């Protein structure tokens, strides 16, 4: 005889899997990332360093020398040669700046929105120009002038530079991932808590819960729904894994994709697997709370009210997780939160990413959450069985607190 829990899990999983809303749940984050990446690329492309248009007031020899170095300086020399016309053009913003040269001195005036000009590079070119002019005035030959203007050659190397770059890339990627995990967990908890809440509320509001319990049991309904919704979560996460592998195989020819993947390759499979498992365990904890809260509703209109305690609790590790993404290892509160179920899923990966804890500490935190998951699942099953056939008009939060007290 087929296990009734598995039957409920299969029914819950397949029913939601066939709905367009679930696939939109999978696709929407990808589209959001694609749109954000496209916008970033477009902004970067269209705002790509445009040369600053400069009016140069000075000797013709200086204009010619600066014009020859215009590409290196990322500037464009205007045809304006007198001060009065240059001031009018700058006021009308038809040029970006005015460079006035007078002997060994120069003045650069630019408008606030002018493209960035490399002042150090410009000063280096002007210094060479001034030096060449001075050499000619002193009667030096072209060879002597060239020898005088030859810069001192200094070669520098950084020992283990590639290793340091890999370490920096690894650290930066893990820090980004730790922030991403914090945000992702909040979104997943909110979404899947709402799913299981609606699943239970639909059955209670249509008054078919009694029929379902007569055919199976409260335990089968409870664990079956939890397994079915968790299966959807695993499906979503595995979809992203498959897409990531596909992007790695076929996206190497796209510069933007290749650049993004270069950061992900710095992450170890162990860290990604740990984070993957922690997301599932943490979501499971919140799903149990959501199932307990949803068992108290009378119809679907009360689902949002029932989910308030769950989402409020989820906001705490969200805030703490963001705070711990960069320097949480030095915060005693963050380190304590890293071992508390419902909180550790955001804080511990952040600490691990920033190498503030060892692997045994990370595994200890995960083990504590697993134990809490098993204990809460058994405790929640008893509350679910008591509340699922209860129809009360009292405030959901009051009923929830009362049910915890009675147990």
């Amino acid at each position: 005889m087929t296990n009734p829990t598995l039957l409920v899990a299969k029914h819950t999983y397949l029913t939601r899997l066939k709905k367009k809303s679930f696939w939109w749940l999978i696709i929407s984050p990808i589209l959001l990332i694609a749109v954000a990446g496209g916008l970033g690329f477009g902004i970067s492309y269209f705002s790509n360093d445009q040369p600053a248009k400069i009016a140069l007031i000075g000797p013709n020899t200086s204009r010619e020398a600066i014009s020859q170095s215009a590409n290196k300086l990322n500037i464009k020399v205007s045809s304006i040669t007198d001060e009065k016309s240059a001031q009018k053009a700058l006021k009308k913003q038809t040029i970006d700046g005015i460079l006035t040269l007078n002997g060994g001195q120069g003045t650069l005036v630019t408008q606030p929105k002018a493209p960035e000009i490399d002042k150090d590079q410009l000063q280096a070119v002007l210094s060479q120009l001034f030096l060449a002019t001075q050499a000619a005035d002193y009667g030096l030959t072209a060879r002597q002038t060239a020898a005088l203007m030859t810069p001192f050659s200094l070669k520098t190397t950084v020992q283990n530079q590639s290793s340091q770059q890999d370490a920096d890339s690894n650290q930066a990627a893990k820090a980004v991932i730790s922030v991403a995990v914090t945000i992702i967990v909040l979104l997943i908890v909110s979404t899947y808590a709402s799913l299981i809440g609606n699943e239970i509320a639909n059955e209670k509001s249509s008054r078919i819960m009694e029929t379902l319990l007569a055919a199976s049991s409260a335990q089968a309904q409870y664990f079956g729904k939890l397994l079915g919704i968790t299966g959807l979560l695993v499906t979503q996460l595995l979809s992203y894994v498959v897409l990531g592998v596909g992007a790695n195989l076929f996206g190497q020819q796209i510069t933007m994709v290749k650049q993004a993947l270069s950061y992900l390759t710095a992450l170890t499979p162990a860290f990604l697997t740990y984070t993957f498992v922690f997301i599932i365990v943490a979501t499971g904890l919140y799903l149990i709370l959501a199932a307990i809260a949803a068992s108290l509703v009378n119809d679907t209109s009360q689902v949002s009210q029932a989910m308030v305690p769950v989402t409020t609790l989820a906001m705490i590790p969200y805030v703490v997780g963001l705070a711990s993404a960069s320097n949480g290892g030095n915060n005693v509160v963050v380190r304590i939160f890293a071992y508390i179920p419902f909180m550790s899923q955001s804080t511990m990966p952040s600490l691990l990413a920033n190498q503030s804890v060892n692997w045994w500490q990370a595994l200890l935190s995960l083990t504590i959450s697993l134990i809490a998951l098993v204990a809460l699942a058994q405790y929640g099953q008893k509350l679910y069985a008591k509340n699922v056939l209860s129809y009360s008009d009292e405030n959901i939060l009051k009923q929830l607190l009362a049910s915890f007290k009675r147990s």
Side-chain angles (χ1 to χ4, degrees):
M1 183 176 179
T2 308
N3 190 315
T5 301
L6 295 179
L7 283 176
V8 175
K10 181 180 178 181
H11 174 76
T12 302
Y13 177 78
L14 293 178
T15 301
R16 290 286 176 179
L17 187 69
K18 294 175 182 178
K19 291 187 176 181
K20 294 180 181 179
S21 58
F22 174 73
W23 293 103
W24 175 248
L25 177 64
I26 293 179
I27 296 171
S28 55
I30 301 172
L31 292 178
L32 183 62
I33 293 173
V35 170
L39 287 174
F41 177 78
I43 292 172
S44 175
Y45 179 81
F46 289 108
S47 63
N48 195 17
D49 298 331
Q50 298 295 324
K53 191 174 183 180
I54 300 297
L56 202 156
I57 311 300
N60 289 332
T61 53
S62 299
R63 288 179 57 83
E64 292 176 2
I66 296 296
S67 297
Q68 291 175 0
S69 303
N71 290 334
K72 182 169 64 174
L73 296 172
N74 196 32
I75 63 172
K76 181 179 180 181
V77 179
S78 170
S79 59
I80 299 174
T81 58
D82 63 284
E83 179 73 22
K84 188 175 181 180
S85 300
Q87 291 292 345
K88 289 182 179 179
L90 185 63
K91 189 174 182 180
K92 294 179 180 179
Q93 296 187 356
T94 56
I95 62 172
D96 297 305
I98 302 173
L99 177 61
T100 305
L101 300 178
N102 185 14
Q105 295 182 339
T107 303
L108 176 64
V109 180
T110 59
Q111 57 169 303
K113 297 181 180 180
E116 186 68 25
I117 299 174
D118 191 337
K119 309 297 191 305
D120 294 334
Q121 186 73 14
L122 177 60
Q123 185 170 359
V125 172
L126 292 175
S127 297
Q128 285 188 334
L129 177 62
F130 177 69
L131 188 60
T133 303
Q134 290 291 92
D137 291 341
Y138 290 139
L140 298 180
T141 63
R143 183 176 180 181
Q144 290 172 326
T145 302
L148 184 64
M149 295 176 63
T150 301
F152 180 81
S153 178
L154 176 65
K155 294 182 179 180
T156 62
T157 58
V158 179
Q159 193 173 23
N160 297 328
Q161 183 178 15
S162 60
S163 299
Q164 182 61 42
Q165 289 174 344
D166 290 342
D168 292 342
S169 176
N170 189 18
Q171 191 71 10
K174 285 184 176 181
V176 171
I177 287 295
S178 65
V179 174
V181 167
T182 302
I183 298 172
I184 288 170
V185 168
L186 178 65
L187 294 176
I188 285 177
V189 166
S190 302
T191 301
Y192 283 90
S194 178
L195 277 180
I196 198 167
N198 281 293
E199 187 75 20
I200 296 171
N202 285 332
E203 293 175 354
K204 287 197 69 176
S205 61
S206 59
R207 296 298 193 272
I208 64 170
M209 184 61 73
E210 291 82 353
T211 305
L212 293 173
L213 294 181
S216 56
S217 65
Q219 182 180 11
Q221 292 295 321
Y222 169 78
F223 284 110
K225 286 179 172 59
L226 288 176
L227 288 174
I229 298 297
T230 303
L232 292 174
L233 170 61
V234 174
T235 300
Q236 182 178 3
L237 295 178
L238 287 178
S239 299
Y240 295 150
V241 172
V242 172
L243 288 173
V245 173
N248 187 46
L249 292 175
F250 303 106
Q252 293 292 340
Q253 304 303 319
I254 304 174
T255 304
M256 189 166 61
V257 175
K258 188 176 181 180
Q259 185 177 5
L261 291 174
S262 66
Y263 288 98
L264 294 179
T265 54
L267 300 173
T268 62
F271 179 82
L272 291 174
T273 303
Y274 176 83
T275 304
F276 184 93
V277 173
F278 221 144
I279 289 176
I280 296 175
V281 172
T283 305
L285 284 167
Y286 283 98
L287 283 178
I288 294 170
L289 285 185
I292 296 171
S295 66
L296 296 166
V297 305
N298 296 330
D299 53 63
T300 54
S301 64
Q302 294 179 310
V303 172
S304 58
Q305 180 186 352
M307 294 302 108
V308 169
V310 180
T311 53
T312 302
L313 183 63
M315 283 297 297
I316 298 175
Y318 169 74
V319 174
V320 176
L322 291 182
S324 67
S326 58
N327 59 357
N330 299 322
N331 192 312
V332 177
V333 175
V334 171
R335 296 183 74 91
I336 294 174
F337 270 45
Y339 297 96
I340 300 176
F342 294 101
M343 306 291 146
S344 53
Q345 73 277 356
S346 296
T347 51
M348 183 54 79
S350 297
L351 295 176
L352 183 62
N354 290 283
Q355 299 178 344
S356 299
V357 294
N358 297 319
W359 267 105
W360 73 265
Q361 294 171 298
L363 292 174
L364 174 61
S365 175
L366 179 59
T367 302
I368 293 173
S369 291
L370 280 169
I371 294 172
L373 177 66
V374 174
L376 185 63
Q378 294 298 327
Y379 178 70
Q381 186 267 325
K382 297 178 182 178
L383 293 180
Y384 179 87
K386 290 180 181 179
N387 300 330
V388 75
L389 294 179
S390 172
Y391 295 90
S392 173
D393 295 328
E394 194 175 3
N395 181 274
I396 298 294
L397 182 58
K398 289 183 178 180
Q399 292 186 63
L400 184 61
L401 294 175
S403 64
F404 280 118
K405 290 179 181 179
R406 288 195 301 267
S407 61

